[in-house]
Amino acid sequence: MGLFLMADGVGPLLLARTLQGLATGAAAGAISAGLLDLQPTPTSPLGPLLNTVAPAAGLAAGALGAGLLVQYAPAPTTLVFALLTAAFIALTAVVPFLPETVSRRPGVWASLRPRAVVPPQARRTFLATAPCFVAAWAMGGLYLSLGPSLAVGVLHIGSHLVGGLAVTTLFGAAAIASVLVYDLPPQRVMGAGSVALAAGTGLTLLALAGPSPLLFFLGTALSGLGFGTSFLGAFRSLAALTGPSQRAELFASAYIVSYLALSVPAVLAGLAVPSLGLRATTTYYGAVVIVLALLAAVSAVVVRNPAASRPAPGRLAPAVLSRSETPEHAPDQEAAQTPEPGPGSGTGA
């Protein structure tokens, strides 16, 4: 945030973005694992729910808040970063009071080495959920990169607030949908959410062809519902296949796929706009998202296959299932099977 405050050109902005990305990526896997470690019971859906709702709600609030500040507040290029700097300083002061979920051991520098691993028992499910991660976050990347431009250039709405509202509608709907379906079977949620994402993307493309601002926001809201539910279903399917010592590394792998899907297609779309035009680029982009979302809906069948989600011998039994799928064994039996957390697990990753 300090670099953002001092930036006076494209170069410093890119440097600030790079540092922000490194910080976010370093923290994401450990935070996700820590949320699962701290949930009330091993079978609680609360950890995966927070892992889905928190990023979506943060993106929605950030887009709306930034739009309001840029449109109505002074110092539009610095005020938002000053406020975020204050918020991060406050959060940093709170972190030491969080409970640690792994035991301390020698090798602090080795524990900071990045690791992204997909355990053998999770590989088939990881491949099956990958199209879902790519489709959902690629749609998010479209709105974060071209959403304001679409509002101005295609829908002819020249307000910074409306550009922010497009992003807020997508991710706000994602957060709300996740809360509504968190206790349903994850494979069913992933499949239905992927279909909703494809339908919402198609509706958005129709709105841009119109153009129709009302239809655009309806399609955006439906896409957001699909984004939240499909990501939640895919995340819960993966979370059920690992113990505490493997969670951070598996979630890091999932976030690598998600962040690449968020960034790479958006950059390619930005490069294509000068030659293809904004409307044509968005149409091609949306068509790819629709294909990936439908592929994710088909992949949900693979995740639903019991053989795809059965832990390997000697591994931890599923740790995050819906209440209808809660195993019959007692919590202390599950704890007895849990491997000793390694240095790359939980919040110590």
Side-chain angles (χ1 to χ4, degrees):
M1 296 303 102
L3 289 176
F4 276 122
L5 285 170
M6 296 184 295
D8 57 358
V10 175
L13 281 175
L14 291 176
L15 179 61
R17 280 291 192 186
T18 301
L19 184 58
Q20 176 201 11
L22 291 172
T24 303
I31 291 172
S32 297
L35 285 171
L36 264 68
D37 291 343
L38 294 171
Q39 63 186 1
T41 64
T43 56
S44 171
L46 184 59
L49 176 64
L50 290 176
N51 273 305
T52 303
V53 171
L59 287 165
L64 179 60
L68 288 170
L69 291 174
V70 171
Q71 188 69 33
Y72 300 112
T77 60
T78 57
L79 181 58
V80 62
F81 299 116
L83 294 176
L84 287 172
T85 299
F88 289 142
I89 291 174
L91 290 172
T92 301
V94 173
V95 168
F97 297 97
L98 294 175
E100 182 56 78
T101 61
V102 295
S103 57
R104 297 184 181 275
R105 63 184 64 196
V108 60
W109 296 114
S111 72
L112 296 176
R113 187 181 75 249
R115 285 182 294 275
V117 178
V118 180
Q121 76 273 16
R123 287 173 185 170
R124 182 176 178 181
T125 299
F126 185 85
L127 291 175
T129 55
C132 181
F133 290 130
V134 173
W137 285 99
M139 191 59 175
L142 174 65
Y143 276 81
L144 289 171
S145 60
L146 298 182
S149 299
L150 290 171
V152 174
V154 178
L155 301 177
H156 307 295
I157 303 174
S159 168
H160 295 293
L161 177 58
V162 174
L165 280 175
V167 179
T168 300
T169 301
L170 179 76
F171 291 106
I176 293 172
S178 301
V179 174
L180 295 177
V181 304
Y182 78 95
D183 202 25
L184 296 178
Q187 296 83 4
R188 187 187 307 168
V189 170
M190 173 183 163
S194 298
V195 172
L197 178 60
T201 305
L203 196 62
T204 302
L205 295 182
L206 286 176
L208 295 176
S212 170
L214 176 60
L215 191 61
F216 174 80
F217 278 96
L218 288 175
T220 300
L222 182 56
S223 298
L225 293 175
F227 178 104
T229 52
S230 61
F231 181 77
L232 175 63
F235 194 93
R236 287 187 61 196
S237 298
L238 284 178
L241 299 177
T242 56
S245 64
Q246 299 172 321
R247 285 174 182 160
E249 296 172 355
L250 176 60
F251 296 158
S253 301
Y255 280 120
I256 286 173
V257 173
S258 299
Y259 288 151
L260 286 176
L262 176 72
S263 57
V264 174
V267 172
L268 295 177
L271 294 174
V273 167
S275 57
L276 295 179
L278 183 59
R279 192 194 304 266
T281 300
T282 304
T283 301
Y284 291 130
Y285 194 121
V288 173
V289 171
I290 291 173
V291 171
L292 288 170
L294 294 177
L295 178 60
V298 175
S299 298
V301 177
V302 177
V303 179
R304 195 175 295 123
N305 183 347
S309 57
R310 185 183 301 122
R315 299 286 185 180
L316 179 68
V320 183
L321 303 172
S322 65
R323 292 173 192 168
S324 61
E325 298 172 304
T326 302
E328 298 298 328
H329 61 271
D332 58 337
Q333 292 175 316
E334 184 166 13
Q337 292 177 298
T338 303
E340 177 68 16
S345 79
T347 54

